[in-house]
Amino acid sequence: KAGGRMQLTLKVNQGEGEYEVTTNLYVIVAWERRFKRKASNIADAGIGIEDLAFMAYEASKIAGIVIPGELDTFIKRLTVLEVVDQDDALPTKAATD
């Protein structure tokens, strides 16, 4: 069960220095809508790089960080994309292995 606190802190670099962003409920709902998946199923299906990139993209927008208008352009610019922290309510494969 993902719960309402599903959060990831992501380290991101678009080639202009690293920064960190944290997902919130809006980001997770946007991700569910785009990928037609449920956050509660992440433990079974795992989470991919595109999933993380989308979450970083949306979280960056919310944080007021200047990013490209297109997700693919954002992904092309990424030099670093890492999960640095995760809320215990997020059942990813990494947390359960």
Side-chain angles (χ1 to χ4, degrees):
K1 50 190 186 210
R5 302 181 315 136
M6 184 172 166
Q7 284 188 338
L8 285 176
T9 301
L10 302 167
K11 183 191 297 180
V12 182
N13 191 332
Q14 301 178 66
E16 298 171 357
E18 290 184 0
Y19 62 90
E20 290 185 3
V21 288
T22 302
T23 62
N24 62 17
L25 198 61
Y26 173 82
V27 171
I28 302 307
V29 170
W31 171 81
E32 285 185 334
R33 288 175 178 167
R34 179 179 173 116
F35 293 97
K36 308 288 189 259
R37 290 174 61 194
K38 291 187 177 171
S40 58
N41 294 340
I42 286 176
D44 300 324
I47 191 164
I49 296 297
E50 186 180 17
D51 299 316
L52 292 176
F54 177 81
M55 291 180 192
Y57 179 76
E58 290 296 328
S60 295
K61 277 200 285 194
I62 290 169
I65 294 161
V66 177
I67 56 170
E70 298 273 324
L71 175 61
D72 283 351
T73 305
F74 175 76
I75 293 171
K76 284 178 194 169
R77 291 185 183 179
L78 288 175
T79 59
V80 173
L81 178 60
E82 297 173 10
V83 177
V84 291
D85 191 29
Q86 66 186 40
D87 188 290
D88 290 340
L90 179 63
T92 61
K93 281 198 178 295
T96 56
D97 286 346

